[in-house]
Amino acid sequence: IVWQARVYDVDQGHGIVESHVRMYALLKHKDADGHPQLVQLRIVSPNDELGGVLFLNIPTVVTHEMDYYSPLYPSYKDPAARRYRLSSGGLLLREVDSLTGNREEIFCPVCGESYGDFRRLRMHIKYNQMVEKKDEWPLEGSHRELKLEGDKDDEEEDVVPKSPLRPSLEEVKSKLPLQELIVVVEGIDPLTSGTFQALHSYMPEDIEWHARFVPCMTSTRAMKATFVDLEKFHQVECSKEGKSKDGYLFSATEGEESVAPREIYVDIHESKRYAAEKV
């Protein structure tokens, strides 16, 4: 499941300099003092480890992946997957970092070796089971004691899964802990050299399920130029209903393995005017 925002600065003559983006979620859960929890969301694209830098002269999609470590992930946790995961230690992590080999989060309960995903853990277990069987190791406390999903005797609950379970779209909708989501775009105004900040807030009722962005950019060979259709900037196309809608919306689409993008729309130009009026 991913959450996405499409951002764009329509002022082509004086575009925002050194712009970057952040996402925050206000959760329904209360902290120890009874206050609502405001948490930051990790961003996959543009990569927040590289600063979340934006090029606002063209519409850009900002993506937060609602993975196992996301504060928006449903409160239930897959017990089979949890047994093999290292603790986050209170850090804001991204599952994609382990999938690409940047860190390891899945560990073997027998020998303690750690891997980036369950596929590599299963390869490790299968190899060691073969070696231990040949060397006639005792079953108890060895890799042979572990059961893999897909084996003939995988009826036990505690098996090593092929992949972590993902919540269904209905589970996400019913258990969504979100009270409000805030998208913040910051940069430098080229005319004043002052810091500029645009914010946009989204409530749970702004979610439009089973929808995707309508493409808003077109190119022409005759003029050798690319145009942005602002009338389509806020439009979403509902994949199940087969119709388009306008407005500031969340949208979600159910894919084959998991729920595919929910999408947020942020118009930097309108947010900029609003900020100026407030000042």
Side-chain angles (χ1 to χ4, degrees):
I1 302 173
V2 296
W3 302 65
Q4 295 184 322
R6 183 153 67 179
V7 299
Y8 175 56
D9 185 2
V10 298
D11 188 356
Q12 297 291 320
H14 305 92
I16 302 301
V17 180
E18 294 292 333
S19 55
H20 53 276
V21 63
R22 288 176 283 130
M23 282 187 181
Y24 295 93
L26 185 64
L27 305 180
K28 298 176 182 178
H29 312 307
K30 307 291 184 180
D31 59 18
D33 298 325
H35 301 140
Q37 296 185 47
L38 181 66
V39 294
Q40 186 174 355
L41 303 180
R42 295 297 304 270
I43 296 178
V44 176
S45 177
N47 192 343
D48 59 12
E49 290 191 346
L50 301 178
V53 180
L54 294 169
F55 180 67
L56 292 175
N57 284 9
I58 61 173
T60 305
V61 174
V62 181
T63 303
H64 163 72
E65 183 178 358
M66 191 166 74
D67 57 19
Y68 183 85
Y69 300 100
S70 171
L72 302 179
Y73 201 75
S75 57
Y76 89 98
K77 301 290 185 181
D78 179 11
R82 183 172 54 195
R83 180 192 176 193
Y84 305 101
R85 288 187 186 271
L86 296 172
S87 171
S88 66
L91 299 178
L92 290 174
L93 301 179
R94 301 183 307 182
E95 199 171 337
V96 67
D97 293 328
S98 65
L99 295 176
T100 55
N102 289 343
R103 64 177 178 83
E104 299 171 347
E105 68 176 54
I106 310 298
F107 72 95
C108 175
V110 175
C111 64
E113 287 285 341
S114 56
Y115 300 90
D117 57 18
F118 283 99
R119 181 183 63 85
R120 281 173 272 179
L121 173 62
R122 288 168 61 88
M123 293 173 62
H124 161 79
I125 294 174
K126 286 181 179 180
Y127 175 78
N128 280 277
Q129 286 178 342
M130 178 181 63
V131 173
E132 292 169 358
K133 183 178 181 181
K134 180 177 177 57
D135 293 342
E136 299 181 352
W137 280 43
L139 181 64
E140 185 177 357
S142 69
H143 291 85
R144 297 172 59 196
E145 193 176 23
L146 299 176
K147 304 298 182 182
L148 303 178
E149 181 183 354
D151 290 347
K152 294 181 180 179
D153 54 350
D154 68 347
E155 298 179 357
E156 301 180 16
E157 294 184 1
D158 188 13
V159 298
V160 180
K162 294 180 179 179
S163 61
L165 293 177
R166 301 298 185 187
S168 66
L169 186 60
E170 293 304 320
E171 288 174 320
V172 172
K173 294 169 66 175
S174 62
K175 299 181 179 181
L176 187 65
L178 180 68
Q179 180 173 329
E180 181 181 4
L181 189 141
I182 304 168
V183 180
V184 182
V185 175
E186 293 178 321
I188 301 174
D189 191 317
L191 298 180
T192 64
S193 297
T195 302
F196 159 79
Q197 187 179 81
L199 300 92
H200 203 94
S201 171
Y202 300 90
M203 309 302 289
E205 56 267 24
D206 296 325
I207 297 176
E208 181 70 26
W209 304 96
H210 300 289
R212 295 182 181 275
F213 281 116
V214 172
C216 65
M217 296 185 63
T218 57
S219 299
T220 59
R221 292 184 178 180
M223 300 182 64
K224 297 182 179 180
T226 301
F227 299 92
V228 178
D229 188 345
L230 292 179
E231 293 184 357
K232 295 182 178 180
F233 184 79
H234 296 290
Q235 288 185 359
V236 293
E237 185 176 45
C238 301
S239 59
K240 288 194 173 182
E241 290 78 2
K243 58 185 179 180
S244 297
K245 294 185 178 181
D246 298 330
Y248 299 94
L249 302 171
F250 260 173
S251 64
T253 306
E254 191 164 13
E256 295 180 358
E257 298 183 355
S258 61
V259 181
R262 302 178 183 183
E263 300 164 346
I264 312 170
Y265 301 79
V266 182
D267 189 332
I268 300 302
H269 185 65
E270 291 189 4
S271 301
K272 195 173 177 179
R273 291 202 306 269
Y274 175 77
E277 292 172 359
K278 293 291 288 186
V279 173

